[in-house]
Amino acid sequence: MIYFNNDYSEGCHEKVLARLTKTNMEQTLGYGEDEYCAAAAELIRKKCGREDAAVHFLVGGTQANLTVIDAALRPHQGALGPDTAHINVHETGAVEATGHKVLWVPHQDGKITAGQVAQTVHAHRTNGATEHTVQPKLVYISNPTELGTLYSLAELEALSNTCHELGLYLFMDGARLGYGLAAKGNDVTLPDIARLCDVFYIGGTKVGALFGEAVVIMNPAIAEDFRYLIKQHGGMLAKGRLLGVQFQALLEDDLYFEIAAHADRLADRLREKLRSLHVPFLVESTTNQLFPILPDGVLERLSETYVFCEQERVDETHRAVRFCTSWATKEENVEQLCADLQRLLG
Amino acid sequence: MIYFNNDYSEGCHEKVLARLTKTNMEQTLGYGEDEYCAAAAELIRKKCGREDAAVHFLVGGTQANLTVIDAALRPHQGALGPDTAHINVHETGAVEATGHKVLWVPHQDGKITAGQVAQTVHAHRTNGATEHTVQPKLVYISNPTELGTLYSLAELEALSNTCHELGLYLFMDGARLGYGLAAKGNDVTLPDIARLCDVFYIGGTKVGALFGEAVVIMNPAIAEDFRYLIKQHGGMLAKGRLLGVQFQALLEDDLYFEIAAHADRLADRLREKLRSLHVPFLVESTTNQLFPILPDGVLERLSETYVFCEQERVDETHRAVRFCTSWATKEENVEQLCADLQRLLG
Amino acid sequence: MIYFNNDYSEGCHEKVLARLTKTNMEQTLGYGEDEYCAAAAELIRKKCGREDAAVHFLVGGTQANLTVIDAALRPHQGALGPDTAHINVHETGAVEATGHKVLWVPHQDGKITAGQVAQTVHAHRTNGATEHTVQPKLVYISNPTELGTLYSLAELEALSNTCHELGLYLFMDGARLGYGLAAKGNDVTLPDIARLCDVFYIGGTKVGALFGEAVVIMNPAIAEDFRYLIKQHGGMLAKGRLLGVQFQALLEDDLYFEIAAHADRLADRLREKLRSLHVPFLVESTTNQLFPILPDGVLERLSETYVFCEQERVDETHRAVRFCTSWATKEENVEQLCADLQRLLG
Amino acid sequence: MIYFNNDYSEGCHEKVLARLTKTNMEQTLGYGEDEYCAAAAELIRKKCGREDAAVHFLVGGTQANLTVIDAALRPHQGALGPDTAHINVHETGAVEATGHKVLWVPHQDGKITAGQVAQTVHAHRTNGATEHTVQPKLVYISNPTELGTLYSLAELEALSNTCHELGLYLFMDGARLGYGLAAKGNDVTLPDIARLCDVFYIGGTKVGALFGEAVVIMNPAIAEDFRYLIKQHGGMLAKGRLLGVQFQALLEDDLYFEIAAHADRLADRLREKLRSLHVPFLVESTTNQLFPILPDGVLERLSETYVFCEQERVDETHRAVRFCTSWATKEENVEQLCADLQRLLG
C-alpha cells in the first residue's frame, strides 16, 4: 500500500537522523538547557528577524496548544477560533481540561476573519450579562488550516490589528507551517508572523522531525515563566537536547523549507492532474493537503492501492477525501497515483 | 568533565538507535496504533506474566504521573506519598494542576510503610470533618525511590494489602525500575509488581531509551478509556511507534535488564570504594544512585573533574552529594573516580 | 416601574421568611447536618416516592450544575445539551473550569431529542478518532427550558431510555421546576423525574426561597462522596440549616406547587391576552416565561412602565422580549399590563 | 445543652433579620448589582479609608478563598501559608481543584513570619531546579488565625513589606475579622489591613450574618474582571442583595464591631476564670476562641451540659479543647460555665 493519509507516517528526514546519531553519546545538560537547544533557538530568532523572541521546544501539537493557551489566559477567559479548529474538535478537550472554554465562529475554508473576531468581542462586551459569559482573550488560528488553506498577509494583518486593538492575543498553530511558507502563492514570511502574532509555533513533527514543535513567543506576558508551564503540563523532555538537535538540523541549511517545498510541489502536481480531470475540490487548498471530491466507485478502486482519509460525504455517490503529501513522499508514488487517476477518470 | 550527575545525560543505547534507524522510513499508523507498539506491549505483558495488563507508552515521567493519577481519581480524592515524592516536590504542581492534592507522610529512606497508609486513611475517616478534607485514594511510591532505595517484597506486599483492604490504588513510579530490578539484594520481580500494584511504569528515559515510559495498568477501573486521557494531556505522540520501537529493542533480548545491571555493578564498585574509605552515606541505597557525605574540601577537588549533584548540607564542613551511574557509564570513568577518592581520602 | 424581567427580583415567600425568623436563634449543627435539612430531604424523598434518593441542598444553580457535572464525569468526558443550555452560554465557563467540555446539538424550542443524543454518541463512537474527541457521558437538559417550554413524559422517557442504553447519565436542571410541574398541559410528575433522571434539582431560588436548589441524586455512582464535592466547590454553607428550613417551609403544605401555579396562571392570563391581540411568539411556552414578538414602538411605550428582558431582534421593526411572572407577581400588575397591551395593540 | 462549639450555630443578629424582613418584597436587580450592595460596598470603602477598594460579596469562606486565589495566580503559582491554614487542611482541596498547590511553612501559634516567607521564596529561586517546583506567589494568612491568635501591626507590616519586595500578594482570610479587630490588645485597624494587604475579607457568616463574606480587593491586578471569577465558581447569588442588605445592617451603626466586642468580652471572662484556676492553654489566644487543656474527667463532666470541640490530646489524662463565644452567646451561659469550672477545678 502507498500512504497518502497523512504527513506523519514515517520517522524523520535522514539528515535529522544523522545528527541525532552523531550527537547520541554526547553528555549534555537536561531539560532543554543544553547548547543544541540554545543554538536552534538562536537560528529561529534569526530567521524571524527578532532577537527578543522567546523560543521553547515542545514534543507535540496538542501539548503546545494547551500549554500556550494556559499560559496566556486567566481562568475566565477563552480561546476563540474557527469551528474546525484542532483545539475544538480533535484534542479531547485538552484546552477545557486546563479550565478554558473554546469559543468558535463558523470557518470559511478553515479560516476566520478579523470581522468575525471584532463581532464576537463586541457581542460579548455589550450583551448585558458580560460576566456571565466567557471572555474571549486569545484568537487561535492554524496556518495552514486543517483544510490546507493559507491566510494571506492582508488577512493576517487585519486579524492582528483587530486582536491588538481589542486587547486579544493572536496565536498561530503552525503544525504544518513549513508547507504553508513554501506554498505557491503564499505571501507571508516568518518575520511577518513574528511581527503579527503574539505566539506561534513552527511544526517539526509533520515536517521532517521525529517529533517537536518550536514555540516562538513574542509577547512577554505569555513568555513569563513559560518553562514552569511546560514542566507542569508534562512537556519538559529530560533529554531536551533531542529537540534542539532536530531543529538545528532542520533549520541550519534551510532543510525545513526545502523538504516542505518538495511536498508542496508534489501536491501541486496531483492537484493539477485532478483539475485537468475536472475533479472538484471540497476546498481550494494550496499546500500539502488536497480534498478532492470523487465518485464512490473510483475511491473504492483507489483504496486497493492507496491509503487516504475520509473527509465527508458530499452526495449519495461522492465523497470528499484527503490526500496528503509530505517531506517523505516519493515522486514515483505521486506519478503512479496520477496515472491511476487518469485511467479511472480520464 | 566526567558526568555522574544523573542518568539522562546521553541519548540512547546503540541498539535502540539502530532499531530507530532501521525502521525510520517505514510507514505506520500514528498515535501508537502501530505494530511496534503492539509488539512491545505484548513483550511487557509476557514479562509481567499477565495477559490482562493494559500497556500504554508515554513520553516522560511527569506526563505518566499526572495522566495516571488523573485517570484514577475523582475530583475530591488525593494521591498519598512520601514527602520526598517526585510528584510532591519536583513536578511544578503537575498533579495539583489536574485538580488533585498531593498528600504526604514522612519518608524513611525515601519509602513509606503500610502502617503509615493505614494510619492516614484511618485519621481521615474518623476525624469528624471527613468531607472537609481530601480523601486519600491512591498511594504513590517510587521504586527505586528518589534516594536510590528499594522496597522489599514484604514491604510491597504489606502496602498492597493495606491499599486494597482500604480501597486505595497502589501506583509505582518506575522511572528507574530497571536499576531496581537488577540491584543486588532486590527480591521483587516484574510479575510481583504486576500482581501487587494497580498501575506502574517501566521507565525508559533513564534506562537506555531516548525517552519513554511504559505504563502498565492492572486495574480495569484505571485502564478504562486511558487513551482519551493520554490525548487530553498532550501525551499522545503522533509517531507513537517511536516508543514501541524503543521498548521492543530494550526488552526483546533483555537488553533493558542487562544495561541496568551494568549501571548497578559500577555503582556497587563506587559504593564499596567509599565504604572502604569510611565515607558515610546519607542513605543506604543499593541501586545506581549514591549519596555519600564528603568534606567540602574533597568535594571542591572532585568538582574539578567530575559533575555531580548537591543533595544537602550535613554539617558545617560536610555535604551529601549524589553520584549516579547509568547504562552509559564507562567503567574507566568509575575506576578513575575510585582512584581519585583513594588519593583524596585514603 | 413594574418588574416582569425575571423571577428572582424579590426576597422570599412570607411563609419561608416566617420560618427563618422563627428558627433564627436555635442552635443547630453546621454544614447541613441539622434536623431541618434531614426533614426537608425526607419530604423530598416522599414526594419523589423514592426512599433511596440522596438529597443535598446547594445555594444556587450554577453551583449545582458544576458540582453535579464534576461529580459525574471522568476527565475526558463531556456534558451534552442544547446550544441554548445555561451551562453552555450563561455560566462563564463554569463547567469548563472543572475541566469538562460542554458539547451541544441544536435546540428545538429549547429542547433536545433522544434521536439527537443517539446520533451524537454514535458519531463519537464511530468517527475513527474516537479518543481524539471528548466522550459524551452526561445529557444536560433544563425543564422548563430557558425558553419556558416543557418536556412531555414521552420525550423524557425517550431521552432516559436512550441515555441508559448508551451508558449516559441524564441530568435535569430544575431551576424553574415548580413552574413546569404546575403548568397547564404538563404530564410529568416528580416521581417520573426521579424514575427517569440520574440526577436533577428542585429549584428554590426562583420559586419562593431566598436561595437554594435541592439536588436529588438517584444514581449511586454520582451520589458517592457528594458532600466532598460540595465542600470542594465552595458550596457547603456553614449554616446549612437555612436551606433545610426554607425547603421544609416550601414543601410541607405544597406551598411550592401552589405559588408556582399562581405564577403560571398569571402567565396564562397574559399569554391569552397577547394571543387575542394576534401577537406572535418566538416560542410556544407554557410556563411562567413568555416570549412575545412586538413592534419596537409598542415596546418603547411599554418600557415606560414595565421592566422586561430583550431576547432577540426578529426583523427591522420587531423584537422578541421576555416577560416573566413569578410566585411574587401581583394579579393587578398583570391586569394593568393586559390593559395597556389592549390599548396599544387592540 | 449549651453550645460553645463554634460561632455559627445560630442564624443572624436580630437587626440583620429585621433588615432582611423589611426589604424582602422590594424588587431589585439581581447578581449583586442592586443598591444595597452598592451602599454596603461604599460603607466598607469608608471604613477602610480607601475609595479605590473593589468590594465583592461572596456567600462563604471556602468560596471566597478559592475565588480570590484563582483570580490572583497564574497556573504554575501557589499559595503559601501556615501548615494549619484553613485552605491547607479544611477545604477538601478547593484550592488544588482550581489547579494550584498550597505551599506551607510551620506555624507558630497559627501564624507565619516575614522571615519564613523570605526564606521560602529564596529557597525556591535558588534551588537549581526552580521551574520544577511551584512558584510561591501569594501569602495566605488568617486573622484571627485558626488558633484564635492575632497578628500585631508590626508583624503585619513585616509580612506586607516582604511580600511586596518579593513580588508576592498578601491575602488575609478574615472569616473572624470582627473578633480580631475588637480584641483586647489588638493594634491593627481596617485601614491598616487595607494598606498592607492586596486582598482580604470581612467575615459575616461567623459575626452576625446569616452568611456572607465581604471581599475587599486593593490590588487592581486581582480586582480585574473579578465578577467573572465569582460567576464561574458558582458564587454569584441571584439575589445578591441579600448580602448587601446584611452587610449594610452590620456596618451602618458599627453593629459588627459591637457584637464582636460582646463575644470577645465573654471570651475574656471565661479565659480569666480558667487562668485563675491555673488551667493551661494550648495557645495564648486573645479572641473568641479559647483552647484550654483540661483533665479528661473534667471534660467528661462538662460534656454533660456543654458542647465544645476536641482539638488534640495533650497527654494521657489531658486534652486541649476549643470553646467559642460568638455574637449570640448569652452572658448567663458563660457565667454558668464559669461556676461549673470553679466547682470542678477550684
Side-chain angles (χ1 to χ4, degrees), chain A residues 7-296:
Chain A
D7 33 21
Y8 43 88
S9 293
E10 294 86 2
C12 65
H13 189 274
E14 60 184 339
K15 290 189 183 172
V16 173
L17 187 58
R19 196 69 67 93
L20 286 169
T21 301
K22 185 181 160 200
T23 60
N24 186 54
M25 290 307 289
E26 291 180 15
Q27 291 189 313
T28 67
L29 291 177
Y31 305 114
E33 301 191 300
D34 60 281
E35 294 179 15
Y36 293 107
C37 285
E42 185 54 27
L43 266 171
I44 288 171
R45 282 191 288 266
K46 281 226 162 58
K47 290 195 181 298
C48 292
R50 288 285 292 268
E51 278 305 304
D52 60 333
V55 180
H56 297 274
F57 300 102
L58 294 186
V59 167
T62 298
Q63 194 179 83
N65 289 335
L66 75 90
T67 306
V68 165
I69 290 172
D70 198 31
L73 301 185
R74 290 185 67 210
H76 61 295
Q77 299 175 330
L80 174 68
D83 48 356
T84 49
H86 206 261
I87 56 169
N88 193 38
V89 295
H90 252 254
E91 301 188 355
T92 322
V95 169
E96 288 84 357
T98 69
H100 302 287
K101 194 177 184 79
V102 176
L103 305 166
W104 57 268
V105 289
H107 77 99
Q108 296 101 34
D109 293 347
K111 297 189 283 183
I112 59 172
T113 66
Q116 287 177 298
V117 171
Q119 192 173 26
T120 301
V121 173
H122 181 73
H124 170 72
R125 292 183 183 172
T126 60
N127 76 1
T130 301
E131 62 253 15
H132 295 240
T133 61
V134 172
Q135 185 183 74
K137 179 66 184 176
L138 174 148
V139 170
Y140 167 95
I141 59 173
S142 303
N143 192 42
T145 69
E146 278 71 25
L147 295 177
T149 54
L150 285 175
Y151 285 87
S152 70
L153 182 56
E155 288 169 337
L156 211 55
E157 297 258 15
L159 266 174
S160 179
N161 288 342
T162 295
C163 283
H164 298 147
E165 281 161 20
L166 295 170
L168 276 72
Y169 300 123
L170 182 57
F171 171 31
M172 181 189 286
D173 172 337
R176 292 188 170 96
L177 189 56
Y179 301 127
L181 294 174
K184 209 182 285 180
N186 169 58
D187 65 350
V188 173
T189 65
L190 264 183
D192 290 331
I193 293 170
R195 175 173 54 88
L196 298 171
C197 293
D198 294 278
V199 52
F200 67 98
Y201 57 92
I202 303 172
T205 302
K206 293 171 175 163
V207 195
L210 284 177
F211 55 84
E213 319 293 310
V215 177
V216 184
I217 314 180
M218 306 310 303
N219 191 316
I222 302 174
E224 189 178 354
D225 291 340
F226 196 74
R227 278 176 58 84
Y228 285 86
L229 282 124
I230 297 175
K231 178 65 187 170
Q232 186 180 66
H233 288 302
M236 192 170 282
L237 209 55
K239 299 175 185 176
R241 105 271 196 79
L242 298 174
L243 294 158
V245 165
Q246 292 184 86
F247 272 96
Q248 197 181 21
L250 283 170
L251 292 168
E252 232 171 34
D253 301 310
D254 284 342
L255 175 65
Y256 184 78
F257 303 100
E258 181 189 308
I259 63 180
H262 163 84
D264 284 342
R265 191 172 53 76
L266 293 182
D268 287 344
R269 166 72 179 114
L270 183 55
R271 193 176 283 115
E272 279 152 34
K273 166 53 71 182
L274 286 159
R275 280 204 185 116
S276 76
L277 294 165
H278 307 294
V279 172
F281 288 86
L282 185 69
V283 58
E284 291 296 324
S285 65
T286 59
T287 58
N288 71 316
Q289 298 181 83
L290 295 85
F291 298 88
I293 296 169
L294 289 163
D296 289 338

Side-chain angles (χ1 to χ4, degrees), chain D residues 16-269:
Chain D
V16 173
L17 187 58
R19 196 69 68 91
L20 286 169
T21 301
K22 185 182 159 198
T23 59
N24 186 53
M25 291 307 290
E26 291 180 16
Q27 292 189 313
T28 67
L29 291 177
Y31 304 115
E33 301 191 302
D34 60 279
E35 294 177 16
Y36 293 106
C37 285
E42 185 54 26
L43 267 171
I44 288 170
R45 281 191 288 265
K46 281 224 162 60
K47 290 195 180 299
C48 293
R50 287 286 292 267
E51 278 306 304
D52 59 332
V55 180
H56 297 275
F57 300 101
L58 295 186
V59 167
T62 298
Q63 193 178 85
N65 289 335
L66 75 89
T67 306
V68 165
I69 290 171
D70 199 31
L73 301 185
R74 289 185 68 210
H76 60 296
Q77 299 174 330
L80 173 68
D83 49 356
T84 50
H86 208 258
I87 56 168
N88 194 36
V89 294
H90 252 255
E91 301 189 355
T92 321
V95 169
E96 287 86 355
T98 69
H100 302 287
K101 194 179 186 77
V102 176
L103 305 165
W104 58 268
V105 289
H107 76 100
Q108 297 101 34
D109 293 346
K111 297 189 283 181
I112 59 172
T113 67
Q116 287 177 298
V117 171
Q119 191 173 25
T120 302
V121 172
H122 181 73
H124 170 72
R125 292 184 183 170
T126 59
N127 75 1
T130 300
E131 62 252 18
H132 294 241
T133 61
V134 171
Q135 186 183 77
K137 177 68 183 174
L138 174 146
V139 169
Y140 166 96
I141 58 172
S142 304
N143 193 41
T145 68
E146 279 70 24
L147 295 176
T149 54
L150 285 174
Y151 285 87
S152 70
L153 182 56
E155 289 169 336
L156 211 55
E157 297 258 14
L159 266 174
S160 179
N161 288 343
T162 296
C163 284
H164 298 148
E165 279 161 20
L166 295 170
L168 276 72
Y169 300 122
L170 181 58
F171 171 31
M172 181 188 287
D173 171 336
R176 293 188 169 96
L177 189 56
Y179 300 126
L181 295 174
K184 211 181 286 180
N186 170 58
D187 65 350
V188 173
T189 65
L190 263 183
D192 290 331
I193 294 170
R195 175 172 54 89
L196 298 171
C197 294
D198 294 279
V199 53
F200 67 99
Y201 59 92
I202 304 172
T205 301
K206 292 171 177 164
V207 195
L210 285 176
F211 55 84
E213 318 293 310
V215 177
V216 185
I217 313 180
M218 307 309 304
N219 191 318
I222 302 174
E224 189 178 355
D225 291 341
F226 196 75
R227 279 176 59 82
Y228 286 85
L229 282 124
I230 297 175
K231 177 67 187 170
Q232 185 179 65
H233 287 302
M236 191 170 283
L237 209 55
K239 299 175 186 174
R241 104 274 195 75
L242 298 174
L243 293 158
V245 166
Q246 292 184 86
F247 272 96
Q248 199 182 19
L250 283 170
L251 292 168
E252 234 172 31
D253 301 309
D254 283 342
L255 176 64
Y256 184 78
F257 304 100
E258 181 189 305
I259 62 180
H262 163 84
D264 284 342
R265 192 174 50 79
L266 294 181
D268 286 345
R269 167 72 180 116

Side-chain angles (χ1 to χ4, degrees), chain C residues 197-259:
Chain C
C197 293
D198 293 279
V199 52
F200 66 100
Y201 58 93
I202 303 172
T205 301
K206 293 171 176 164
V207 195
L210 284 177
F211 55 83
E213 319 293 310
V215 176
V216 185
I217 314 180
M218 307 309 304
N219 191 318
I222 302 174
E224 190 179 354
D225 291 340
F226 197 74
R227 278 176 59 82
Y228 285 85
L229 282 124
I230 296 175
K231 179 66 187 169
Q232 185 180 64
H233 287 303
M236 190 170 284
L237 209 56
K239 300 176 185 174
R241 103 275 197 74
L242 299 174
L243 293 158
V245 166
Q246 292 185 86
F247 271 96
Q248 198 182 21
L250 283 169
L251 292 168
E252 234 172 33
D253 302 309
D254 283 344
L255 175 64
Y256 184 78
F257 304 100
E258 182 189 306
I259 62 180

Side-chain angles (χ1 to χ4, degrees), chain B residues 43 98 122 137 140 209 214 234 275 282 307 344:
Chain B
L43 267 171
T98 69
H122 181 73
K137 179 67 183 174
Y140 166 95
R275 281 204 185 116
L282 185 69
V307 182
L344 289 165

